[in-house]
Amino acid sequence: METKKENGDSGTPPTSLVFGVNGESFELSNVDPSTTLLQFLRTQTRFKSVKLGCGEGGCGACLVLISKYDHVLDKVEDFTANSCLTLLCSIHGCSITTSEGIGNTKEGFHPIHERIAGFHATQCGFCTPGMCVSLLGTLVNAEKTDRPEPPPGFSKVTASEAEMSVAGHLCRCTGYRPIADACKSFAADVDMEDLGLNSFWRKGESKDIKLSRLPQYDSKHKNVSFPMFLKEIKHDVFMASEEHSWQRPTSLEELQKLLELNQANGTCAKLVVGNTGMGYYKDTEHDKYIDLTGVSELSKIQKDGSGIEIGAAVVISKAIEVLKQESKSDFTSDFVMILGKIADHMSKVATGFIRNTGSVGGNLVMAQRNHFPSDIATILLAAGSMVHIMSGSQFEWLALEEFLERSPLGLDSVLLNIKIPSLEFNKSESSEPRSRFLFETYRASPRPLGFALSYLNAAFLVEVSPCEDTGGTMINTCRLSFGGFGNKHATRSKNVEEVLAGKLLSVSILYDAVNLLTATIVPKDETSKTAYISSLAACFLFQFFNSLIDSTARLANNGNLNGYTNLPSVKAFKLKENQKQVHHDTFPTLQSSGKQVIEAGSEYHPIGEPIVKSGAALQASGEAVFVDDIPSPTNCLHGAYIYSEKPLARIKSIKLSSELQLDGVRDVISSKDIPDGGENIGSKSSLGNEPLFADDIAKCVGDRLAFVVADTQKLADIAANSAMVDYSIENLEPPILSVEEAVERSSVVQVPPYLYPKQVGDVSKGMAEADRKILSAEMKLGSQYYFYMETQTALAVPDEDSCITIYSSSQSPEGVHSTVARCLGIPENNVRVITRRVGGGFGGKSAKSSAVATSCALAAHKLGRPVRMYQNRKTDMIMAGGRHPMKITYNVGFKNDGKITALELEILVNAGIFPSFSAVMPLKIVGALKKYDWGALSFDIKICRTNHPTRYAMRAPGDLQGSFIAEAVIENVAATLSMDVDSIRSINLHTYTSLKAFYPDSFGEPLEYTMPSIWNKLAVSANYELRAEMVKEFNRINTWKKRGISRVPVLYELTPRPTPGKVSILSDGSAVVEVGGIELGQGLWTKVKQMAAFGLSAIQCDGTEELLDKVRVVQSDTVSLIQGGLTAGSTTSESSCEAVRLSCNILVERLKPLKEKLQEEMGSVKWETLILQASMQAVNLSASSFYVPSKNSNKYLNYGAAVSEVEIDLLTGETRFLQTDIIYDCGMSLNPAVDLGQIEGCFIQGLGFFMLEEYETNLDGLVLADGTWNYKVPTIDTIPQQFNVGVLNSKHNKKRVLSSKASGEPPLLLAAAVHCATRAAAKEARKQLLSWSNLDGPDSKFQLEVPATMPVLKELIGLDIVERYLKWKMDKK
């Protein structure tokens, strides 16, 4: 690719690509048309704020703002887009803005960056620049509206729009609440009181003061200016070479000629508008492209009396905008209503940034040609839409239904237009004057606002008229369409339409229709969700028609739907014909909120202050450098793994596909390339090493077989994907693919005695004392993927004398260091590992990062060239391993009052193929399980070795499962006794005496046991008892929605680790700090910086109060600071702080004599003067220390509790998270803002585990949830609507680091409250279901699986709930 960076002019030939990036001009010739904008920005420019998070358009990390000049209208259109999908050739004549383009260190940060930082809305910071661009796009477009001018400092944007701007973005760290607050702070209609903790104002200050302190946003100031030189550029561009071409026809005639030419030459061109389909189908490689955006006939929206016609190249967001505007048009009120509802539904398709570039026609063609589960096809099918097709020189209009059923569209065929006909065309011949059309669309999806494919979508267009004789409703005609359920395409349920048409609606008619429908809507491919999908179809039909059956019986007590405000009703007949009002707000607008209660400490200033996270504005602008942002050295190569797709197989050979022109592939590295004296080692631990590559036998799916090295990352990935592996299973035993099988075949890891926890009390005696028992209860817990936003990455640079430097995104650079040395067979002093920051870790960047770095190092060592890798998301998900799945069997004995006397468990833990970390699991599981006083506790925990990928530590490993097992036991006891579960929890909380028995090494002083006070305090602050009563009342009067509320405690045992620290004061008085801990987003650098300022201020000079601004924490370098250890277990921040404090103490002692001397001479001494004099007098101004926790501070307990309230939808199984209240004990918090962020983010990650994240595999263990399309982490629409957190500043404990406590993992366990509340709601739903069958017996002993996804919950509350309800209604009559 040839790049010229110069000012363009109007004479630029159309064979060059001209565009601007952040005001800089680029002119390119000879561009490979398959190059994406992201690839260009990251490899050919200095702008690295666009990040590769998924490559699917599903995370928002790669977002840019595209500005396009319209020559006809003389205006600039601004829209956000995924640079990972946008093809470079498609931006000819456009201006691109990235986050560093609107503000940066040199030119000053934009208010967006400053507010994101000030609201503590960034942690690892990898996803932050993309969110800033999204918010920018929303602000820019809000200013174009004719809304009133906002007050100074605000934008025209509404609070709801501002919050929605980041909807669809993924963040794994923050929990979204502070991000939403930062966005809403720009809105004129925001309630300033509702904005959460920030660094701008203190609680109780007036609105005027708050506004004056916010970084000022000037809506008049142009956020983005369109470069003048681009206004001269014509949008049509033609790029061609022998290998490839990009063409942009400007008329249908030109398009026809191009297609004819391609057909004559036997070549195939990819037709593109926004290229968003690549995110789903990954069809990255094409030689020829035809850009349809220039064909005017395809880009228009036209309307006349017969309906509205949408050009196939019209983007979805534009279609939504126009359809909503039709509410002001001359169409009939019914048709306006239909268009409005189509627009509303389209607003839930994909994300805003995908809708900005994805076209309506492209979506339909994917549905027709590739069987894409399209929502748009379904809703347009119900509306009776037509499509206009061009095949060669032939043109034809046909019904969308016929189009979908035809064989896949040929390569010479193009979809031109889609027509939604006005209702006159849908009226039946027998229509009477008073008949009305009713239209409704439905979708059930893992995320309320869309951003996810639906399990099932549906749309119904029904013509009804009132029946005078009966007062009922006559169905004249109906069109019922369903899609997205594993069928080839959206389809009409004609047999059900026939049953309903011409009938007077009644319960029995609806019952027959529902039964017929469940037999009709069945996925072609049997899946675990088949019954759920059929049930959804029934529920959608019921939801639509039930409210029409009896217009007088509107109350929930009479069995009608409530809570569904958008249902049609008979009252609709009374609407005047000319009434055209359409409500577009039927889907939820976000407006999440929360209260944060913190107590800032003042004793150790600036420790205890909620200061802004170090580097937050840099992260927002995108200038913070991650490993993959480091510019590639000269001759750098790129690597990708070939991995096993079999769980146990001999590798006979590996060949790369000969079909691809892989002339840039340089080598395939395997275990055979390990040098003499080196070891085949990919990661090491005290419990066993893991090989870098499989030697002859692959032992699990995802096992590393080889490492392809190529000129570019794209080429390396293509080569690895194309590799053909010849497997053999001859003479091999079958693989072990379950924990039961592992036990049967004695594939169990021996846990060293020092790692196995001790039993508590006498279980036999406890069981004998019990009034009642539950025996052999079983439960299973699955895995969870880390979903760090930055995938595994490393860069290895060979140096002189067999030395090598590695830049690694790792939680353990020390582990990487020694692993690389052992693999290469070189001394450790030949290796240097540098880690500046990590884009999310959660345990996944410990052992796995060693293997990635070692692979790059081995290739670099062999080839003598730098080698780097940025692992693609799919490979990362397949190889990651994730959280440990397990099977639990237990017996529990208890008294009639609910007091538990004994618990015994058998737990089978799936460790995967290598046990590296897993031996510590028993200790971790039992540590959290002991949070209740079980009387006596015994357990048999087996670590099972299976042919699955190795499981590693994931945030709160073992603790999360142990704590949940405890809650499941408590729930079961309460159900057995038919008692309130909260009272069972309360009665089994520890006394200080029982705490000492269960936690003999960490119980602490009586005053430190804050659990009872937290438990009671939370009941008051969260209004627990009143809300529990309100939940009961809600459930009594609501038929189709039920609520649940739950309160859950957490006890968490923590162990600080030995950690080094080093503080160096430079001659100008500034200080550089190095620590063993790695900045993962947890605010470690921020706390360390505060500690250094506090420690050095002990010298008591003039100016030490400003030391905070003079401290810089620098990257980890394994040669500069050794014994850095592993950043994990929540305590690395405090240990790093203590190491720094000890180093500061040494420096202060060295400086004291000089300071006293100067004080005698000068009176007062300035910090800078002291340091300059010390430097001149050869005082050693660098000190290092190694903090080793003493025995009495080695372990401590953390306490917290949460109340969560949820609402479940009995028809779809959807759970809405209404409110969560948390109180968490941080001791004397080192930085309450940082700890608050950890608590919130941690809780939301736990919510993902319990409610959303299915890490599905096939029978061999191959991960099926391998991307953003099918693995759903929480988004801004799946967090609690009200999220209140109190950080408890508990009593001093001098044994800990300045009396602080950790916050990185324990709050994760509190998310079980959401699951328990969901179970409580499900219990009410099941009780109601039984009452319809005249069965009133107890039904509380049931198990809600983890994660409690929509299909899981729906199955529990009754897949046939609608049929049973209708049957009950008929029986009552």
Side-chain angles (χ1 to χ4, degrees):
M1 186 188 299
E2 293 168 28
T3 308
K4 302 175 207 161
K5 234 168 67 173
E6 55 190 47
N7 289 327
D9 58 54
S10 57
T12 303
T15 53
S16 284
L17 195 60
V18 180
F19 56 93
V21 181
N22 297 331
E24 289 183 21
S25 165
F26 288 84
E27 184 176 339
L28 311 178
S29 57
N30 191 27
V31 178
D32 176 350
S34 70
T35 304
T36 64
L37 176 56
L38 177 99
Q39 286 161 355
F40 173 77
L41 289 172
R42 291 195 59 77
T43 60
Q44 306 290 316
T45 77
R46 61 192 171 85
F47 305 116
K48 300 292 176 77
S49 68
V50 288
K51 310 293 186 197
L52 178 60
C54 66
E56 300 178 320
C59 73
C62 68
L63 236 61
V64 295
L65 185 75
I66 299 180
S67 303
K68 191 182 275 189
Y69 179 63
D70 187 320
H71 293 88
V72 179
L73 299 174
D74 186 27
K75 69 173 190 179
V76 175
E77 182 191 2
D78 301 287
F79 57 92
T80 52
N82 294 90
S83 63
C84 73
L85 301 177
T86 301
L87 294 169
L88 187 60
C89 290
S90 71
I91 62 157
H92 178 64
C94 296
S95 174
I96 306 301
T97 306
T98 67
S99 193
E100 66 262 73
I102 57 164
N104 49 60
T105 322
K106 285 182 181 168
E107 293 160 21
F109 293 111
H110 191 280
I112 290 175
H113 301 145
E114 293 173 318
R115 293 194 193 184
I116 285 280
F119 276 95
H120 312 290
T122 160
Q123 287 185 26
C124 87
F126 195 83
C127 65
T128 313
M131 294 197 187
C132 290
V133 171
S134 250
L135 177 56
L136 172 72
T138 303
L139 295 178
V140 166
N141 284 308
E143 299 315 327
K144 295 177 185 175
T145 63
D146 55 5
R147 294 171 188 167
E149 283 302 311
F154 289 111
S155 156
K156 287 183 180 179
V157 78
T158 65
S160 179
E161 285 169 346
E163 192 175 14
M164 282 292 286
S165 71
V166 291
H169 281 263
L170 301 187
C171 170
R172 197 54 154 162
C173 301
T174 63
Y176 300 101
R177 196 270 318 150
I179 298 170
D181 282 349
C183 293
K184 287 188 288 190
S185 74
F186 287 91
D189 66 341
V190 72
D191 179 356
M192 299 288 278
E193 288 297 312
D194 195 39
L195 297 177
L197 178 71
N198 61 74
S199 63
F200 306 121
W201 63 74
R202 293 286 167 132
K203 206 172 180 181
E205 291 181 332
S206 72
K207 184 177 177 179
D208 289 343
I209 288 176
K210 287 177 179 177
L211 191 52
S212 70
R213 300 253 182 88
L214 269 177
Q216 284 305 293
Y217 172 74
D218 182 2
S219 57
K220 303 262 186 317
H221 168 73
K222 270 193 86 60
N223 290 294
V224 184
S225 55
F226 191 80
M228 285 306 293
F229 74 89
L230 287 175
K231 289 193 174 181
E232 307 301 319
I233 303 291
K234 295 281 188 289
H235 281 300
D236 51 324
V237 65
F238 170 74
M239 318 238 3
S241 68
E242 283 181 25
E243 298 91 37
H244 44 241
S245 69
W246 176 279
Q247 288 155 312
R248 188 176 185 267
T250 54
S251 67
L252 262 187
E253 190 181 350
E254 211 180 316
L255 175 61
Q256 270 180 306
K257 284 177 183 167
L258 278 176
L259 293 171
E260 283 167 13
L261 189 64
N262 279 335
Q263 203 167 20
N265 294 337
T267 55
C268 164
K270 182 179 181 181
L271 304 183
V272 290
V273 175
N275 197 45
T276 52
M278 187 183 88
Y280 191 74
Y281 291 107
K282 317 290 191 294
D283 52 342
T284 51
E285 284 306 293
H286 289 271
D287 297 328
K288 298 186 185 302
Y289 289 80
I290 298 175
D291 178 0
L292 299 179
T293 57
V295 182
S296 57
E297 294 93 331
L298 272 63
S299 303
K300 291 177 182 166
I301 298 181
Q302 303 172 83
K303 56 180 181 179
D304 57 26
S306 65
I308 192 161
E309 208 172 292
I310 301 169
V314 171
V315 295
I316 298 168
S317 57
K318 184 69 181 169
I320 292 168
E321 186 188 324
V322 171
L323 291 174
K324 286 189 174 182
Q325 285 170 354
E326 291 312 320
S327 56
K328 305 178 183 78
S329 74
D330 299 327
F331 287 127
T332 63
S333 59
D334 282 357
F335 189 52
V336 167
M337 173 269 297
I338 289 170
L339 296 180
K341 291 198 169 178
I342 288 174
D344 281 344
H345 192 106
M346 281 184 172
S347 300
K348 296 184 190 177
V349 172
T351 54
F353 34 91
I354 289 287
R355 295 193 294 268
N356 287 340
T357 53
S359 65
V360 178
N363 184 288
L364 292 179
V365 169
M366 284 204 310
Q368 200 271 350
R369 194 181 274 162
N370 307 93
H371 306 147
F372 177 73
S374 162
D375 279 64
I376 294 176
T378 306
I379 55 179
L380 293 181
L381 179 61
S385 303
M386 309 283 290
V387 291
H388 194 199
I389 308 291
M390 177 180 85
S391 300
S393 57
Q394 302 295 310
F395 292 82
E396 65 174 327
W397 278 100
L398 65 156
L400 175 60
E401 186 174 3
E402 187 186 337
F403 171 66
L404 292 172
E405 284 170 359
R406 280 190 176 182
S407 54
L409 207 58
L411 296 174
D412 64 333
S413 300
V414 182
L415 172 62
L416 304 178
N417 297 289
I418 301 100
K419 181 160 189 171
I420 307 171
S422 69
L423 289 173
E424 302 308 312
F425 291 80
N426 281 311
K427 285 234 174 200
S428 61
E429 289 176 19
S430 58
S431 288
E432 60 151 294
R434 287 185 307 146
S435 70
R436 288 296 312 274
F437 279 96
L438 302 175
F439 182 75
E440 199 57 71
T441 72
Y442 301 90
R443 79 191 307 269
S445 133
R447 292 176 179 153
L449 289 178
F451 326 141
L453 292 178
S454 48
Y455 295 110
L456 181 73
N457 51 63
F460 309 144
L461 176 64
V462 180
E463 187 193 11
V464 293
S465 50
C467 178
E468 288 298 332
D469 299 342
T470 63
T473 303
M474 180 66 75
I475 301 169
N476 301 336
T477 61
C478 57
R479 293 176 67 92
L480 313 175
S481 67
F482 296 89
F485 60 94
N487 215 344
K488 278 186 177 178
H489 52 73
T491 180
R492 279 174 63 189
S493 188
K494 291 186 177 175
N495 52 352
V496 181
E497 291 174 5
E498 285 165 14
V499 163
L500 291 168
K503 301 282 196 333
L504 183 67
L505 189 59
S506 66
V507 173
S508 60
I509 289 289
L510 185 52
Y511 181 70
D512 292 343
V514 161
N515 279 316
L516 183 58
L517 187 63
T518 49
T520 307
I521 303 299
V522 180
K524 289 281 179 281
D525 303 320
E526 272 291 318
T527 70
S528 57
K529 299 178 177 68
T530 298
Y532 171 62
I533 287 163
S534 299
S535 171
L536 278 176
C539 290
F540 291 160
L541 193 75
F542 169 79
Q543 206 170 324
F544 185 89
F545 283 111
N546 185 54
S547 58
L548 295 174
I549 290 174
D550 182 359
S551 61
T552 55
R554 304 295 296 165
L555 295 173
N557 287 341
N558 290 3
N560 255 309
L561 274 170
N562 53 77
Y564 294 101
T565 53
N566 57 347
L567 282 175
S569 75
V570 173
K571 292 175 186 173
F573 291 123
K574 293 170 185 165
L575 285 173
K576 291 177 184 165
E577 201 47 46
N578 63 358
Q579 190 174 339
K580 304 222 174 81
Q581 189 184 2
V582 181
H583 294 287
H584 297 297
D585 57 356
T586 49
F587 68 93
T589 46
L590 289 166
Q591 292 285 357
S592 60
S593 67
K595 291 191 183 76
Q596 300 80 44
V597 180
I598 63 163
E599 294 174 50
S602 54
E603 190 176 336
Y604 307 115
H605 180 82
I607 288 286
E609 288 290 319
I611 69 161
V612 169
K613 185 176 175 295
S614 176
L618 272 183
Q619 291 176 333
S621 70
E623 295 168 283
V625 178
F626 292 86
V627 171
D628 199 52
D629 298 333
I630 299 167
S632 289
T634 311
N635 287 328
C636 189
L637 297 171
H638 301 256
Y641 284 122
I642 298 170
Y643 54 82
S644 172
E645 293 186 0
K646 304 284 180 191
L648 185 62
R650 194 168 277 105
I651 308 303
K652 293 173 75 178
S653 68
I654 300 173
K655 290 176 188 161
L656 298 185
S657 169
S658 56
E659 292 169 24
L660 293 161
Q661 294 299 307
L662 301 177
D663 52 348
V665 174
R666 300 298 169 193
D667 207 342
V668 179
I669 307 287
S670 69
S671 59
K672 297 177 179 66
D673 295 295
I674 292 168
D676 292 342
E679 294 176 49
N680 184 9
I681 178 172
S683 65
K684 69 183 194 73
S685 76
S686 57
L687 305 165
N689 300 333
E690 186 174 334
L692 182 60
F693 295 114
D695 277 324
D696 298 315
I697 296 173
K699 294 182 177 173
C700 68
V701 166
D703 208 355
R704 293 178 291 271
L705 305 182
F707 190 62
V708 179
V709 183
D711 288 349
T712 66
Q713 189 63 61
K714 180 178 172 182
L715 189 55
D717 286 334
I718 290 168
N721 284 339
S722 74
M724 292 171 287
V725 182
D726 188 8
Y727 300 98
S728 165
I729 55 170
E730 204 176 328
N731 299 327
L732 290 177
E733 285 193 15
I736 296 170
L737 297 171
S738 70
V739 287
E740 293 89 347
E741 223 176 321
V743 172
E744 202 177 299
R745 288 166 61 177
S746 303
S747 181
V748 176
V749 178
Q750 287 306 307
V751 177
Y754 72 92
L755 284 177
Y756 202 80
K758 293 182 174 65
Q759 321 275 346
V760 183
D762 183 342
V763 165
S764 314
K765 187 180 169 202
M767 282 293 187
E769 288 170 1
D771 296 329
R772 304 179 70 169
K773 292 173 195 164
I774 299 169
L775 302 175
S776 302
E778 273 188 17
M779 59 187 289
K780 287 185 177 180
L781 291 171
S783 187
Q784 183 183 19
Y785 171 59
Y786 306 98
F787 221 110
Y788 27 60
M789 293 305 297
E790 171 203 47
T791 58
Q792 299 285 0
T793 180
L795 165 62
V797 184
D799 205 344
E800 63 183 28
D801 196 20
S802 296
C803 290
I804 192 161
T805 299
I806 294 142
Y807 300 88
S808 172
S809 177
S810 175
Q811 291 175 243
S812 179
E814 185 194 3
V816 171
H817 187 122
S818 55
T819 304
V820 167
R822 284 175 63 176
C823 178
L824 300 185
I826 57 178
E828 285 199 21
N829 64 2
N830 282 28
V831 181
R832 181 184 183 198
V833 180
I834 295 171
T835 300
R836 183 175 294 180
R837 59 173 60 81
V838 172
F842 318 116
K845 300 264 180 81
S846 48
K848 281 285 184 190
S849 66
S850 286
V852 169
T854 306
S855 301
C856 291
L858 177 60
H861 185 77
K862 179 186 176 186
L863 302 172
R865 292 171 66 174
V867 177
R868 76 188 314 165
M869 170 159 111
Y870 189 78
Q871 189 155 273
N872 69 69
R873 182 63 69 181
K874 177 177 178 176
T875 304
D876 202 279
M877 294 191 76
I878 286 168
M879 296 174 73
R883 200 179 285 287
H884 289 74
M886 54 189 70
K887 180 186 177 186
I888 304 101
T889 310
Y890 64 87
N891 303 323
V892 59
F894 45 96
K895 298 282 193 185
N896 287 329
D897 65 355
K899 181 71 194 80
I900 293 168
T901 56
L903 174 64
E904 51 184 343
L905 305 112
E906 182 192 44
I907 301 175
L908 306 180
V909 178
N910 187 340
I913 190 62
F914 296 106
S916 50
F917 170 82
S918 302
V920 304
M921 287 295 283
L923 212 53
K924 301 285 283 171
I925 293 167
V926 172
L929 183 75
K930 293 191 296 187
K931 67 178 178 177
Y932 289 113
D933 175 8
W934 303 112
L937 175 65
S938 74
F939 38 81
D940 176 14
I941 303 175
K942 292 184 172 74
I943 305 300
C944 303
R945 191 170 175 175
T946 64
N947 292 103
H948 285 148
T950 303
R951 310 294 176 179
Y952 295 98
M954 181 172 177
R955 203 174 195 175
D959 304 274
L960 178 64
Q961 295 96 324
S963 187
F964 180 72
I965 292 164
E967 296 306 337
V969 172
I970 292 283
E971 295 266 355
N972 203 349
V973 168
T976 305
L977 291 169
S978 300
M979 286 176 68
D980 172 47
V981 69
D982 193 67
S983 65
I984 303 294
R985 285 192 175 100
S986 299
I987 203 173
N988 287 294
L989 285 179
H990 281 293
T991 61
Y992 183 65
T993 307
S994 66
L995 187 77
K996 288 201 305 196
F998 277 78
Y999 293 97
D1001 302 329
S1002 54
F1003 57 85
E1005 299 298 321
L1007 273 177
E1008 289 178 71
Y1009 181 45
T1010 53
M1011 188 69 244
S1013 66
I1014 288 173
W1015 191 247
N1016 296 329
K1017 207 172 182 176
L1018 183 65
V1020 175
S1021 66
N1023 255 332
Y1024 179 75
E1025 287 181 9
L1026 175 65
R1027 281 169 57 203
E1029 286 305 312
M1030 288 167 70
V1031 163
K1032 279 182 192 168
E1033 180 59 14
F1034 179 91
N1035 292 336
R1036 188 183 69 77
I1037 63 172
N1038 283 274
T1039 306
W1040 299 107
K1041 296 203 170 175
K1042 299 291 178 191
R1043 288 183 179 173
I1045 190 167
S1046 181
R1047 178 169 54 151
V1048 163
V1050 62
L1051 270 73
Y1052 199 105
E1053 197 167 32
L1054 290 144
T1055 310
R1057 291 191 172 98
T1059 308
K1062 181 178 173 184
V1063 179
S1064 306
I1065 308 171
L1066 306 178
S1067 60
D1068 66 348
S1070 62
V1072 170
V1073 180
E1074 291 177 76
V1075 287
I1078 303 300
E1079 177 58 65
L1080 312 167
Q1082 82 282 45
L1084 181 144
W1085 278 8
T1086 313
K1087 289 179 176 179
V1088 162
K1089 194 173 169 178
Q1090 287 172 278
M1091 183 61 91
F1094 163 70
L1096 293 175
S1097 67
I1099 194 71
Q1100 295 181 326
C1101 278
D1102 290 355
T1104 49
E1105 63 277 359
E1106 291 166 12
L1107 271 176
L1108 191 65
D1109 295 330
K1110 296 182 188 296
V1111 177
R1112 179 179 293 278
V1113 187
V1114 296
Q1115 62 198 19
S1116 162
D1117 182 331
T1118 56
V1119 172
S1120 174
L1121 192 72
I1122 64 165
Q1123 295 174 284
L1126 170 67
T1127 300
S1130 300
T1131 57
T1132 314
S1133 292
E1134 65 200 63
S1135 296
S1136 296
C1137 282
E1138 185 62 6
V1140 166
R1141 190 172 75 95
L1142 296 174
S1143 300
C1144 290
N1145 289 349
I1146 296 167
L1147 290 169
V1148 168
E1149 287 304 310
R1150 286 180 193 162
L1151 288 166
K1152 259 185 187 170
L1154 178 60
K1155 183 233 171 183
E1156 285 163 6
K1157 184 184 167 199
L1158 290 170
Q1159 212 163 13
E1160 281 175 26
E1161 293 171 8
M1162 303 165 62
S1164 66
V1165 184
K1166 278 193 163 183
W1167 168 257
E1168 286 81 1
T1169 308
L1170 173 66
I1171 299 307
L1172 188 59
Q1173 288 294 319
S1175 186
M1176 290 163 69
Q1177 294 185 31
V1179 175
N1180 183 354
L1181 291 177
S1182 183
S1184 60
S1185 66
F1186 192 61
Y1187 165 60
V1188 180
S1190 62
K1191 271 202 165 176
N1192 61 3
S1193 68
N1194 198 32
K1195 283 188 176 181
Y1196 65 85
L1197 290 173
N1198 253 25
Y1199 307 102
V1203 168
S1204 281
E1205 185 179 349
V1206 305
E1207 181 178 291
I1208 63 173
D1209 183 325
L1210 274 56
L1211 295 177
T1212 63
E1214 182 188 343
T1215 304
R1216 282 175 63 221
F1217 312 115
L1218 302 180
Q1219 184 171 331
T1220 288
D1221 298 79
I1222 293 173
I1223 295 181
Y1224 182 79
D1225 182 357
C1226 269
M1228 290 275 288
S1229 171
L1230 298 173
N1231 182 321
V1234 165
D1235 285 331
L1236 179 78
Q1238 288 291 285
I1239 293 163
E1240 291 181 338
C1242 202
F1243 181 88
I1244 297 302
Q1245 200 172 84
L1247 183 148
F1249 173 73
F1250 287 116
M1251 302 302 295
L1252 299 166
E1253 298 175 37
E1254 284 184 284
Y1255 200 19
E1256 285 184 291
T1257 65
N1258 67 10
L1259 295 174
D1260 284 342
L1262 177 67
V1263 170
L1264 302 174
D1266 56 8
T1268 55
W1269 286 97
N1270 45 23
Y1271 190 82
K1272 296 300 175 190
V1273 302
T1275 41
I1276 198 166
D1277 58 337
T1278 51
I1279 66 170
Q1281 289 168 12
Q1282 179 76 27
F1283 197 4
N1284 305 320
V1285 180
V1287 178
L1288 183 72
N1289 200 335
S1290 65
K1291 301 291 178 196
H1292 295 210
N1293 184 320
K1294 301 294 180 190
K1295 292 175 190 171
R1296 292 195 306 275
V1297 179
L1298 299 189
S1299 308
S1300 66
K1301 283 186 168 189
S1303 59
E1305 292 173 295
L1308 193 82
L1309 283 52
L1310 291 172
V1314 175
H1315 190 274
C1316 294
T1318 306
R1319 189 188 182 280
K1323 179 182 164 187
E1324 291 303 308
R1326 287 167 68 91
K1327 197 161 92 181
Q1328 176 179 268
L1329 193 63
L1330 282 172
S1331 73
W1332 292 340
S1333 309
N1334 296 321
L1335 300 168
D1336 288 325
D1339 174 49
S1340 49
K1341 286 187 70 175
F1342 61 87
Q1343 204 167 297
L1344 179 60
E1345 287 174 30
V1346 174
T1349 58
M1350 291 168 70
V1352 163
L1353 185 58
K1354 183 76 170 88
E1355 190 166 343
L1356 202 62
I1357 56 186
L1359 292 168
D1360 60 345
I1361 189 167
V1362 160
E1363 294 92 320
R1364 285 167 74 167
Y1365 169 78
L1366 292 170
K1367 180 94 171 50
W1368 172 70
K1369 288 279 283 183
M1370 290 191 296
D1371 291 347
K1372 270 177 72 176
K1373 286 187 179 178

